[in-house]
Every structure is written in structure tokens, then in C-alpha cells.
Amino acid sequence: MIRTILVDDEPLVMQMIKDMLIEEKNVEVIGEYFNPKEALHHIMSTKPDLVFLDIEMPGMNGIELATEILNKDDTIRIVFLTAYDQYAVEAFKLNAIHYIMKPPSHKELQTAISRLETSVQAPPSNTGKIYISFLGSISICDEEGVSLVKWRTAKAEELFALLMISGEKGIEKWRIIETLWPESPCNEKSEQLLYSTIYRVKSALSQAGIRAALNNKLGIYSLTIENMWCDLYELEKCYKEMKQHKLDDTICDRIFEIYKGELFLDRDYEWAMVYRSNAENKAEELSDFCKEKMRINGDLKKLEAFRLKRNIYIRIES
């Protein structure tokens, strides 16, 4: 049974849709709301499968309400209703399963329900290790080196990078907005941009079969990905081990596996300059540590090969 909620500020349209849905044996209407803010509260508490949502409503329009819903629970499916097709592009940016012009026909409602049944077939979960590279070009690959994620927008990829570089401690909502949209004031519109982009990050990872959790605790966002290897995290790990004198003899090989170029090499992220410099400095220290280790051990041939390889990947002083 498809549990459905209706949100529309026009009583006649609401009743028309409800009457047609009642005729569908696999649909149960569990809520009807004229007020979008009241609807949001009940949608989050009842977790319906499907929401028929009017776009043109006072106070909070349908696009804003859909963004709030999907940011909190992206398993809920949305069907937009409107008298104007000018909203079509924006609606489908949010991955609406259907878009119905008013007045709706019974056939269009059946099409929407059919699309829901198709969309709930989840993509296969990727059970192998996920390899994420930020040092050099940004990439998210499987164990065979096949790229997994297709970003719908550049901002979604940038938000992913920012969340990953922020690590377990996370990053505050307003700092994300100030970082990614510095030209926009911190208001409801900029929050809308953030929520839409968060949804696109979650959607892209989900469609790739990547098991990830984008957490929001007291306005601080963090991203965790299961079974992941990340070159930037590995660089930090090696650096800490070096400072604690815990490095083993594999460090010289590991550093070249890790450091393949500047952080976000082909991305012009202004906010990343400090992080880029920090990563370079740590790679330099690790490289110098390896050179000294080889000198002490008398591995002159290995040292020469190391220098040659180092010149390929790491900017050094002559």
C-alpha cells in the first residue's frame, strides 16, 4: 500500500485528487494539508511514501517544502502539481518523480503512481572498497578504478569536497553557506541553496550505490562513507605516525600512492588554499623523512629512484 499525503491550498483540487486516488486499490491517503508548514511537521512524523505537492502556495512554496522534506528524508517521493509549467525545470532538479499540470487527470495520477513503484527499486549497493582522491584530480572510484559518481552540479561536488575535508568534526551550516556562496547573504534563500545541494550530494552517492550518511547535529554537518579509502586522510595518518615515530619501512612507497599532486589540483576552490598549502607541507616533511631514512640505511640507488619519482609528484626545492 502506497501511503500518500496531499498538500494544496485549493480545497477543490485537493478533493478532486483525493477522489481519484481512492479508486486506486494500492493507494491510501493518510493526510491532507492546506498549510505547507503544518504539512512538513506531519510528513516528517508519518513518513509517507508519496506526497502530492502544490507548487504555488503562500508562506512556503512547493519547491521550498520539497527541499525541506528531501533534506530530512530523501526516500519520500514527490509529485508536483501546478497550473504553470515555468516551475518544471526547478522541480525536476529536485528529482521529482512526476510533474502534473492542473487540473490533473486520472491517467496522470496513475502514471505518477507507476513511476513511484519503479523509482523505489534501489540501486545495487557497492560492497567493495570506495577510493576517494583529492590529491591531484578529484575522483571517486571502485576497486577497478571505475568512476562511480556523476555530479549533477559543480556545487554538489564542491560541497562533497568541503564536507570530506571537514572530517568527523563537521562544519557549521552558516559556514558552509559563507564558503560556497560568499556573494549571497545568509538568509532563507541561501539556506534553500544549501538544502538543495545537500540533497544532490546524497542523491549522487545513493545512485552510485555508495553507503553514506550525511549527518546534521545542531546545525553542524558531517559526511561519513562506509568502507572508504581517502588519500587525504591517509596523508594525515602518515604524518601523525611520523610525528609519533611509528612509521614502518613501507612509508616511502605509501607516500607516492597517496600524493599525486596538489589538493583539488583541477578545481579553483578559493576556500581550499590553506588546506592545499597544509597538505603540500606535510607531503614535503614526509618526503624529507624518507630521504633521510634512505641515507641512514645507505640505500643510495633507492634514494636516487625516490628523488626521481618525487620530482614527478611533489614540488620541491632544487
Side-chain angles (χ1 to χ4, degrees), residues 89-96 149-157 196 199-201 203-204 207:
V89 173
E90 193 62 33
F92 281 110
K93 282 181 180 177
L94 290 173
N95 280 7
V149 177
K150 294 182 179 179
W151 298 108
R152 295 186 64 183
T153 66
K155 281 298 180 187
E157 183 185 56
S196 297
Y199 173 70
R200 288 173 189 142
V201 170
S203 178
Q207 288 172 16

Side-chain angles (χ1 to χ4, degrees), residues 55 70 105 132-133:
I55 289 184
L70 295 172
S105 68
I132 300 175
S133 297

Side-chain angles (χ1 to χ4, degrees), residues 242 255 283-293 295 306 310 316:
M242 181 185 71
I255 189 173
E284 286 287 338
E285 283 194 53
L286 283 164
S287 184
D288 290 340
F289 174 86
C290 289
K291 283 200 308 180
E292 187 61 26
K293 189 177 182 67
R295 283 199 189 96
F306 181 89
R310 185 174 187 261
I316 60 171

Side-chain angles (χ1 to χ4, degrees), residues 59-126:
M60 174 187 285
N61 68 40
I63 298 292
E64 293 170 334
L65 177 54
T67 303
E68 290 276 4
I69 293 170
L70 295 172
N71 181 49
K72 296 176 187 298
D73 187 343
D74 59 8
T75 65
I76 297 173
R77 299 301 191 266
I78 305 291
V79 173
F80 284 108
L81 303 162
T82 185
Y84 306 99
D85 61 5
Q86 70 191 60
Y87 295 102
V89 173
E90 193 62 33
F92 281 110
K93 282 181 180 177
L94 290 173
N95 280 7
I97 64 167
H98 202 47
Y99 183 89
I100 297 177
M101 297 292 293
K102 293 182 180 181
S105 68
H106 201 161
K107 184 177 180 179
E108 285 179 311
L109 289 176
Q110 289 176 326
T111 299
I113 293 167
S114 176
R115 287 190 178 184
L116 169 66
E117 293 170 338
T118 301
S119 71
V120 295
Q121 297 176 2
S125 178
N126 193 315

